[in-house]
Amino acid sequence: MTITINGSNREVPSNITVKNYLIGQNYQLNRIAIELNHSILPKSKYDSTVLVDGDQMEIVTFMGGG
C-alpha cells in the first residue's frame, strides 16, 4: 500500500503499525514526534495505530546541538 511520509510516497506493508514502521526504519522513538493525517499522534498510540492506504505521516526528529 502507498502512504505519504514527509511529502514522499512510500510503499509500506499492509497492516503495519506506526511503531513497527518506525522501528523498521531505525527511528529512535524517544526522539521523534508523529503527525498522522494532520493530527499529532500520541506516543501511547504508536503501537495500536495501523497505517492504511493513503495515510499522510510527518515524522519530526528532535536533534540536540548547541
Side-chain angles (χ1 to χ4, degrees):
M1 75 179 168
T2 304
I3 65 172
T4 303
I5 301 174
N6 294 346
S8 298
N9 288 338
R10 303 279 173 92
E11 291 295 320
V12 299
S14 296
N15 297 318
I16 191 167
T17 63
V18 170
K19 182 178 180 178
N20 286 340
Y21 174 80
L22 295 170
I23 289 171
Q25 297 298 309
N26 297 315
Y27 282 99
Q28 293 181 11
L29 300 182
N30 61 335
R31 298 191 63 145
I32 61 172
I34 299 295
E35 179 184 290
L36 185 62
N37 300 321
H38 308 290
S39 296
I40 299 297
L41 184 66
K43 289 187 187 308
S44 62
K45 297 199 182 256
Y46 288 8
D47 196 36
S48 62
T49 302
V50 177
L51 295 168
V52 298
D53 194 51
D55 273 347
Q56 295 182 349
M57 183 164 62
E58 296 291 324
I59 304 169
V60 179
T61 303
F62 302 108
M63 302 185 80

